[in-house]
Amino acid sequence: MTRELAITHRYLHLPIQEGAPERKLEMRVGGHTEVIAAVRLADGKPDWWAFKDVSAWKGKTLTLTLDTGPLSTIVQSDMLPDEVSLYQEPLRPLVHFSSRRGWLNDPNGLVFYCGGYHLFYQHNPYGWSWGNMHWGHATSSDLVHWQEHGDVLAPDTLGAMFSGSAVVDWHNSSGFGESGQPPLVLIYTAAGNPTTQCLAYSTDGRTFTKYSGNPVISQITDGNRDPKVFWHEPSQSWVQVLYVGLPGNQHTVHFFTSPNLKDWTKVSVVNGSIGGNNFLYECPDFFPLPLDGDAKNTKWILTAANSRYSIGTFDGTTFTPEHSNLPDVHGAGFYAAQTYSDTPDGKRIQIGWIQAPSPGMPFNQLQSLPSELALKTTAQGPRLVRTPITALQSLREGDDQAEQLSDFRTEAIELCAELSQGDADRLDCTLRGVSVIFDAQKQELTVNGHSAPAPFVQGKQQLTIYLDRTVIEVYASDGQTYLTLPIIPSTDSQSVSVQTTGGKVKLGSLKIYKLKSLWQNK
């Protein structure tokens, strides 16, 4: 089935029905394939409407090809069909980023460029489940309030657009810059047959051009993907870490170097686990952190999708682990985290995908709150710690409500508590029916049955809890403990309670805030 459509409006709307058969849809403009996707087009009333921003094609003819079924239900408009209710849906996360429509997973290309923070992410704009991997795009001035833009990378003849990273090519080593403007370069996996590594670039941070010389790294195995690239100043070279799955379920990270982002040379390999706990399996990240803030004692962190990590040294070609396969995040649902590059204050900020579904909504999944990472000496040795960024305080609605809990009702909550070792057995917090327990005797944190070690640090325990409509995140022990859990609290329960069991805890402070939606200005 083929239909030609003169583009006269901003959006192309596709009626989606979950459970309908998948049909292959191709969009071509000027004889060039722009999008290849598997879509579940509704034959009757749609569950929701997917959209594609086609403003760049105005005045041109779009050719739609579908392997079976009608194309007449695909329409144009300058507005979204349900724009009035956008960001106000019942399970829309209030303080976590989620996409306007469709499935979301791995954060990609976290970078500061042209005065703003960019969040690219794995996106299926045409379905509620994983598939049709595009790169979605949003920007922010503070990492809290986000403005969504259209998808910047769409599946093409080389394959779906799998995960990767972004860099600012300050010296224009790639030649992609124009008129003195350094380019923003995306490095991504084209997951076709073969699976390869490719580039796209932009000088405005909005519109991207795929490099005509793609791919820049050919297939090593069919399990090679998720390139993370950064500039290594001491060696004056670009460095890429790439996940490569080898036969026998051997997880590895391959290191490459390049003078120009286009020509890459393999220089070393780090082995992860063979199956097991999936150490160094997919979505690697690699970055330096000063130990205890000492710039003269900087270590390198190598981590991957499940957040287990190694600490060591790096000479520009070879990573030498000193502490390996360390556990990090607790609970469930946190995956494929990445950190920002080129931040103006030099802070190492991390965002991860949280596998928290929003059933019945036209969108699915969300990104974690941004956390600042540091490397600190602990009783167990050097360890990663994380704290929520201070900009999240802008979401507080009014003053601390800890003294007015009898009248406290809200959907999104921040609770901050500092306590000292006393004679109490435990501190019990219940937020909208979700149980958060700190066992002072065991020095253990438990969130709805998911437990993690949470030691006192210099005789004190600091808890920070964020509860949203579909997830809870808890920071404890000065950032040594971080626990996430997808959960949908009952809409009937919007209260908070705090109590101790078995004695008194020396509570240094307790603050509880209502949180307003990051989308309020939308």
Side-chain angles (χ1 to χ4, degrees), residues 155-203:
D156 58 25
T157 54
L158 293 181
M161 303 290 98
F162 275 22
S163 290
S165 53
V167 295
V168 181
D169 184 6
W170 290 106
H171 302 296
N172 197 26
S173 64
S174 62
F176 295 144
E178 294 179 359
S179 304
Q181 175 67 24
L184 177 61
V185 183
L186 311 183
I187 308 95
Y188 63 92
T189 297
N193 185 14
T195 298
T196 57
Q197 315 313 316
C198 300
L199 305 177
Y201 58 91
S202 172
T203 54

Side-chain angles (χ1 to χ4, degrees), residues 69-387:
L71 287 166
S72 59
T73 55
I74 298 176
V75 297
Q76 296 184 68
S77 170
D78 286 323
M79 293 183 64
L80 302 179
D82 45 7
E83 192 163 299
V84 174
S85 62
L86 185 62
Y87 301 119
Q88 300 178 50
E89 303 89 348
L91 287 181
R92 171 70 66 179
L94 294 174
V95 299
H96 292 78
F97 176 83
S98 56
S99 188
R100 285 176 287 188
R101 293 292 177 263
W103 166 275
L104 164 159
N105 57 289
D106 309 353
N108 298 152
L110 306 187
V111 67
F112 187 89
Y113 179 71
C114 285
Y117 295 94
H118 293 253
L119 167 64
F120 301 94
Y121 55 92
Q122 292 285 277
H123 185 215
N124 180 3
Y126 310 120
W128 196 79
S129 303
W130 184 93
N132 299 316
M133 285 295 95
H134 293 58
W135 273 36
H137 185 209
T139 55
S140 173
S141 61
D142 60 2
L143 289 167
V144 176
H145 302 87
W146 294 95
Q147 175 66 50
E148 289 192 74
H149 309 287
D151 294 322
V152 297
L153 298 178
D156 58 25
T157 54
L158 293 181
M161 303 290 98
F162 275 22
S163 290
S165 53
V167 295
V168 181
D169 184 6
W170 290 106
H171 302 296
N172 197 26
S173 64
S174 62
F176 295 144
E178 294 179 359
S179 304
Q181 175 67 24
L184 177 61
V185 183
L186 311 183
I187 308 95
Y188 63 92
T189 297
N193 185 14
T195 298
T196 57
Q197 315 313 316
C198 300
L199 305 177
Y201 58 91
S202 172
T203 54
D204 63 6
R206 295 293 186 271
T207 57
F208 288 81
T209 301
K210 292 176 179 176
Y211 173 44
S212 60
N214 283 335
V216 295
I217 296 182
S218 300
Q219 177 170 297
I220 302 167
T221 71
D222 59 4
N224 56 191
R225 59 182 178 274
D226 312 331
K228 177 60 182 279
V229 174
F230 62 94
W231 175 255
H232 187 248
E233 184 67 21
S235 63
Q236 291 289 290
S237 180
W238 295 104
V239 176
Q240 177 178 160
V241 292
L242 180 71
Y243 171 73
V244 179
L246 298 180
N249 204 21
Q250 172 69 66
H251 304 311
T252 71
V253 173
H254 288 209
F255 283 68
F256 298 81
T257 59
S258 171
N260 56 16
L261 293 170
K262 300 174 180 176
D263 304 299
W264 293 93
T265 301
K266 189 175 83 170
V267 292
S268 63
V269 176
V270 174
N271 288 329
S273 65
I274 300 175
N277 61 17
N278 282 336
F279 175 52
L280 298 185
Y281 171 58
E282 69 181 4
C283 301
D285 197 0
F286 188 59
F287 51 88
L289 283 174
L291 180 60
D292 299 321
D294 182 2
K296 296 180 180 179
N297 190 15
T298 293
K299 301 295 182 180
W300 285 79
I301 311 299
L302 178 62
T303 185
N306 70 359
S307 295
R308 299 186 74 89
Y309 65 99
S310 289
I311 305 170
T313 59
F314 180 63
D315 63 7
T317 60
T318 303
F319 173 65
T320 303
E322 298 171 338
H323 307 271
S324 191
N325 201 356
L326 301 173
D328 188 20
V329 180
H330 303 274
F334 186 87
Y335 199 74
Q338 292 287 296
T339 58
Y340 270 88
S341 62
D342 291 283
T343 54
D345 54 10
K347 292 181 178 179
R348 183 60 57 174
I349 307 298
Q350 184 187 68
I351 291 177
W353 165 35
I354 294 186
Q355 301 161 341
S358 297
M361 300 293 103
F363 55 88
N364 193 10
Q365 313 288 299
L366 54 84
Q367 304 291 4
S368 75
L369 297 175
S371 297
E372 181 180 350
L373 301 186
L375 189 64
K376 292 186 177 181
T377 299
T378 73
Q380 291 74 40
R383 292 293 186 268
L384 273 181
V385 299
R386 53 171 51 75
T387 51

Side-chain angles (χ1 to χ4, degrees), residues 370-494:
S371 297
E372 181 180 350
L373 301 186
L375 189 64
K376 292 186 177 181
T377 299
T378 73
Q380 291 74 40
R383 292 293 186 268
L384 273 181
V385 299
R386 53 171 51 75
T387 51
I389 63 170
T390 56
L392 290 168
Q393 295 175 12
S394 66
L395 294 175
R396 294 172 178 172
E397 187 171 20
D399 298 327
D400 166 31
Q401 300 287 304
E403 299 296 331
Q404 291 87 35
L405 291 186
S406 60
D407 299 321
F408 186 90
R409 299 291 184 274
T410 194
E411 288 192 273
I413 302 164
E414 177 190 358
L415 185 152
C416 305
E418 181 182 293
L419 50 142
S420 301
Q421 286 177 290
D423 58 354
D425 290 333
R426 64 190 222 177
L427 176 72
D428 286 69
C429 305
T430 303
L431 298 81
R432 298 191 58 200
V434 180
S435 170
V436 179
I437 299 170
F438 173 64
D439 189 316
Q441 303 302 317
K442 294 181 179 178
Q443 298 191 48
E444 182 179 73
L445 176 72
T446 302
V447 180
N448 262 32
H450 293 258
S451 297
F456 283 100
V457 177
Q458 296 180 343
K460 294 184 180 295
Q461 177 60 271
Q462 291 185 333
L463 285 176
T464 303
I465 305 170
Y466 290 91
L467 178 69
D468 206 340
R469 285 171 168 169
T470 60
V471 68
I472 187 169
E473 296 185 61
V474 184
Y475 301 79
S477 302
D478 280 1
Q480 292 183 38
T481 300
Y482 173 62
L483 189 151
T484 68
L485 189 65
I487 191 165
I488 301 177
S490 170
T491 55
D492 296 330
S493 177
Q494 296 190 9

